[in-house]
Amino acid sequence: MTNELQTPEKLAPEKLTKKDVRTAWVRFYFAQEIAHSFDKYLAPALTWALTPVLKKLYKDPKDQAEAYQRHLLFFNTQLSWGGGTITGIMASLEEARAQEVYKQEDITIDDDLIYNTKSGLMGALAGIGDAIDSGTIQYILIAIALPWAQAGNAIGALFPFIAFSLYQLGIGNYFAQLGYKLGRTAAGEIVGDKMKGIIEGLSIMGLFMMGILASSYVKVSSSLKFNLSGKEFVIQDILDKIMPGLLPLAVVAGVYLFFTRKGMNVTKALIGLTIILGVLAGIGIL
Amino acid sequence: MMHVTVFQALAIALWIAAIMSRSFFGGATTTLRFTPMMTGLVVGIVFGQVADAMITVAAIQLIYMGVFSPGGQMPSEPAIAAAVAVPVALLGGLKPEAAIAIAVPVGLLGSYLYQFRFFINTIIQQKYTEKYAAAADTKGMFRSIILMPIIVAFLLYVPFMFVTLYYGTPVIADIVKSNSGGIIFHILEVIGGGLAAIGIAVTVYVIGKKSYIAFFMLAYFMATMLKSLGITMVTYAVVGAIIAFIYVLVTTEARSKTATATSDAGGSGVTFDEDDDDY
C-alpha cells in the first residue's frame, strides 16, 4: 500500500465568494438569539451561519463535523459590529485552514487560534457595537421619531424600527466583508484611531439628544401650594422663577448619581424612584 | 365591564411570541424587544385605535431609553410591558403617564419568563445540537438551532400572554377606571412622568466620559429655554451633530499639536537630563 500524499480532487475546498460571506452574515443576523442559551450563548447561531461556508470548504463529513463542533463553544457579542466582523474573519480563517487540511500541510490555523481570535474580539467589538448601535444610533432614531409617536402617528414606530434594522443589516455586511478580506488583522482596523473620533462624536451627539429628551419628556413638578395671610403661594411658580426645569433635571441627576455610586442597577433604580415619587405624590409635594 | 376579544388577545400574544422567540426578522427583533413602540403600534392596529396607542407607547418608550443588554443582561422586557399597558390604557382611557406605572411591574415579570426560555434552550443545545454537529447533520442542526427554540418560545409566550391579556387586562383597566380622578391617579401620573428620567440617566451613564455631560447640560437648558419655539427633534439632531463634529475637529487638531509639542519638549528634556547628571 502506497502512502497517499495527494488528497482526491473531489475533496478540494471551493473558493469562497463575496456572496458566501454575505449569506453567512445574513444567516447570523437571522439566527442571532434564537438558540440563546446559558452555556453557548450565540455559538449555535454562528455555527448555523457558517454551515454553508464550512460545507464548501470541507468536503469530507469528518472534517465538516469537526468544524461545526469547533464553533459550538461559548460565543457572545454584539450583532453587527461583533457578529459581522467575526463571521467574516471566521470564514477567512476556515478557508485558510481548509487549504492546509487539503494539502496535508501542518495546520497553523489550529482550533486554539480560531477560538482565541473569536474570544479576543467578541468582547471588544461588543463594547464598541453596543455603545454605538444600541446605545446611540438606535436612540437618536427613536428621539427623532418620538414627537410623531406622541402625535399619534404610526410613523413614530415604523421609522426607527425600519431605519435601525436596515442600518444594522448594511453595516454588518460591510464588517463581514471587511473581516473576510483582512482575516486576522481586521480587528486592528476597526478598533483603530479613526474609529476613536467617530465614537467620540457619536457619544457627544447621543448625550446631546438625551439632554433634549430630558427637557421635553421628564415631567416632574410640585403641586404644593399654601396660603399665607390670604396670599396664595404656588411652589412651582417660584421654582420656575429661579430656574425652569429644575425638578426634572434634579431627578435625572439623582438617578445618574445613584448609578455612579452603586453601579448601573436599572431594576433598583426603577423600584426606588417609583417609591420615592409615589410617596411624594401621595403626601402632596409633587 | 370592558373586555378584550379572543382575537385581540391571541393576535397580541402571537406578536409577543414572535418577538421573544427572536425569529421575527432575526436581529431586528432585538429592537422590537428593547423598544416597545412597534408593539404599541400592533396593539393599536388590533384595537383599532392606532393614534391613542402611539401616544401611550411613546410615553412608555421614554422609560426604556438606553435600556439595552450589555452582555445579555436585561432588567425588564419593554415589549411585554407595552403589550399589557397599552391595552389597559386603551380600555381604561388612561393618561399615558399612568400607563407607565402599569408597564414597569409587568416588564419586570416578563424578564423571568425570558430566563426560563434560556434554560430550555440550554437543554436543547446540549442534547441535540452537539449530537447533530458531531454527525455533520446540517438538517438536524437547522431543527435544533432554529426550529425547536422557536417552537419552545411560542409554547411559552402565547398561552402566558393570552391569559394575561384576555383575563387580566380588563380587570386592571376596571380597577384603574373606577378610581379615576382620585389620588391613585395622581400618584400613577407623577410616577410615570418621573420614570422617564431612568432611561435618560442610563444612556448618560452608559455613554460615560464625565466631561461630556456638559453636552447633555447644554442641550437640556437649550431645549428648556427654547421650548416655546417648538424646534423639532430633527433640527436638534442636526445641531447636535454639528456640535459633535466641531468638538472632534478641535480635539483632533489640539492632539496633533500637543504631539508635536511633546516631541519638542522631549528633545530639550534630554539636555536637562544631561544637566541633572552633572550633579
Side-chain angles (χ1 to χ4, degrees):
Chain A
M1 212 165 154
T2 48
N3 201 0
E4 227 182 53
L5 258 175
Q6 208 55 45
T7 332
E9 192 80 9
K10 66 180 169 64
L11 290 183
E14 291 173 54
K15 180 98 187 69
L16 295 183
T17 65
K18 249 183 153 167
K19 195 169 157 260
D20 291 324
V21 177
R22 187 171 63 229
T23 306
W25 155 244
V26 172
R27 282 168 74 101
F28 181 74
Y29 181 86
F30 171 69
Q32 194 214 12
E33 284 184 352
I34 290 178
H36 218 175
S37 67
F38 282 119
D39 59 335
K40 297 186 180 12
Y41 271 72
L42 310 180
L46 182 67
T47 311
W48 187 72
L50 290 171
T51 45
V53 163
L54 298 174
K55 259 180 148 173
K56 269 184 119 174
L57 294 175
Y58 302 103
K59 298 294 178 182
D60 185 341
K62 187 179 72 51
D63 295 333
Q64 255 176 46
E66 271 179 21
Y68 296 156
Q69 288 171 301
R70 188 158 50 234
H71 289 286
L72 272 179
L73 298 168
F74 177 88
F75 176 64
N76 190 25
T77 191
Q78 183 266 346
L79 176 62
S80 59
W81 291 69
T85 313
I86 293 171
T87 307
I89 293 175
M90 286 304 123
S92 134
L93 289 183
E94 288 289 358
E95 189 172 36
R97 183 189 158 110
Q99 282 298 336
E100 293 178 346
V101 171
Y102 175 65
K103 290 180 186 147
Q104 299 192 346
E105 296 167 354
D106 290 337
I107 307 287
T108 58
I109 319 276
D110 60 5
D111 289 14
D112 279 352
L113 178 96
I114 287 180
Y115 190 70
N116 290 341
T117 307
K118 215 188 314 186
S119 60
L121 290 177
M122 62 193 187
L125 290 173
I128 297 175
D130 273 339
I132 293 184
D133 279 19
S134 315
T136 310
I137 291 185
Q138 176 171 238
Y139 289 107
I140 288 174
L141 293 173
I142 289 175
I144 289 172
L146 260 176
W148 296 324
Q150 286 191 314
N153 195 330
I155 295 291
L158 292 168
F159 168 75
F161 173 64
I162 295 170
F164 188 64
S165 301
L166 289 178
Y167 155 79
Q168 282 205 309
L169 256 178
I171 201 166
N173 183 52
Y174 170 77
F175 285 132
Q177 302 294 349
L178 188 73
Y180 174 71
K181 221 182 305 165
L182 301 174
R184 254 180 295 173
T185 52
E189 192 85 359
I190 293 162
V191 191
D193 251 4
K194 205 167 75 188
M195 260 334 284
K196 252 193 202 149
I198 295 174
I199 292 171
E200 252 178 18
L202 281 170
S203 303
I204 288 167
M205 199 182 156
L207 281 175
F208 186 85
M209 290 311 283
M210 285 307 129
I212 303 286
L213 281 183
S215 156
S216 320
Y217 300 124
V218 182
K219 290 182 186 116
V220 185
S221 60
S222 177
S223 59
L224 203 59
K225 52 182 128 186
F226 45 85
N227 271 301
L228 276 181
S229 49
K231 205 170 174 234
E232 192 178 50
F233 283 88
V234 181
I235 295 295
Q236 187 57 47
D237 289 351
I238 298 166
L239 286 176
D240 283 345
K241 262 178 214 148
I242 301 167
M243 192 182 115
L246 188 63
L247 285 182
L249 185 62
V251 176
V252 177
V255 178
Y256 175 79
L257 288 175
F258 171 76
F259 288 148
T260 53
R261 302 264 156 80
K262 309 272 172 186
M264 197 183 87
N265 190 329
V266 178
T267 315
K268 266 192 190 159
L270 274 174
I271 295 169
L273 191 59
T274 303
I275 293 171
I276 294 171
L277 290 170
V279 169
L280 291 177
I283 59 177
I285 290 178
L286 295 182
Chain B
M1 183 168 150
M2 291 152 292
H3 69 285
V4 179
T5 66
V6 172
F7 163 76
Q8 286 169 337
L10 196 61
I12 298 169
L14 284 170
W15 165 259
I16 291 297
I19 293 178
M20 300 314 284
S21 72
R22 332 293 293 114
S23 60
F24 185 73
F25 289 132
T29 53
T30 316
T31 324
L32 294 174
R33 184 178 161 213
F34 298 150
T35 69
M37 291 227 277
M38 283 292 286
T39 300
L41 176 59
V42 168
V43 173
I45 292 169
V46 168
F47 278 79
Q49 287 173 266
V50 171
D52 290 337
M54 286 309 300
I55 294 165
T56 308
V57 83
I60 297 174
Q61 173 68 66
L62 276 164
I63 52 168
Y64 294 115
M65 293 299 277
V67 176
F68 57 96
S69 72
Q73 287 302 315
M74 185 66 195
S76 183
E77 294 292 341
I80 291 181
V84 175
V86 178
V88 168
L90 293 180
L91 289 179
L94 274 192
K95 274 199 191 162
E97 281 79 21
I100 289 175
I102 292 160
V104 169
V106 174
L108 291 174
L109 283 179
S111 61
Y112 290 110
L113 211 55
Y114 196 79
Q115 292 289 317
F116 190 57
R117 187 188 77 105
F118 233 72
F119 176 75
I120 297 180
N121 272 349
T122 307
I123 298 171
I124 296 174
Q125 299 315 310
Q126 293 278 355
K127 208 168 146 71
Y128 297 102
T129 305
E130 290 195 353
K131 189 178 80 188
Y132 294 140
D137 176 0
T138 45
K139 282 204 183 100
M141 285 166 74
F142 172 72
R143 279 201 303 277
S144 68
I145 296 174
I146 307 294
L147 277 185
M148 284 196 244
I150 291 178
I151 292 168
V152 164
F154 272 80
L155 290 178
L156 272 181
Y157 282 98
V158 173
F160 173 80
M161 287 307 294
F162 181 82
V163 169
T164 310
L165 285 163
Y166 190 74
Y167 296 103
T169 319
V171 176
I172 306 172
D174 250 16
I175 295 169
V176 168
K177 198 167 192 184
S178 60
N179 283 302
S180 85
I183 179 92
I184 294 178
F185 259 76
H186 175 68
I187 293 175
L188 287 181
E189 278 172 34
V190 168
I191 292 171
L195 282 186
I198 301 257
I200 288 159
V202 170
T203 313
V204 174
Y205 182 74
V206 168
I207 291 176
K209 264 221 174 171
K210 288 218 168 88
S211 52
Y212 286 1
I213 289 175
F215 294 101
F216 171 86
M217 301 298 258
L218 171 71
Y220 182 82
F221 287 115
M222 218 167 106
T224 307
M225 290 184 297
L226 304 178
K227 201 160 261 175
S228 56
L229 296 183
I231 297 167
T232 65
M233 281 293 164
V234 181
T235 315
Y236 276 129
V238 171
V239 173
I242 293 170
I243 290 175
F245 179 75
I246 292 172
Y247 179 85
V248 172
L249 199 71
V250 170
T251 44
T252 330
E253 295 251 314
R255 217 176 284 145
S256 60
K257 254 183 208 150
T258 0
T260 27
T262 351
S263 60
D264 285 350
S268 50
V270 175
T271 38
F272 279 124
D273 276 353
E274 282 170 359
D275 286 346
D276 283 345
D277 284 342
D278 290 338
Y279 289 98

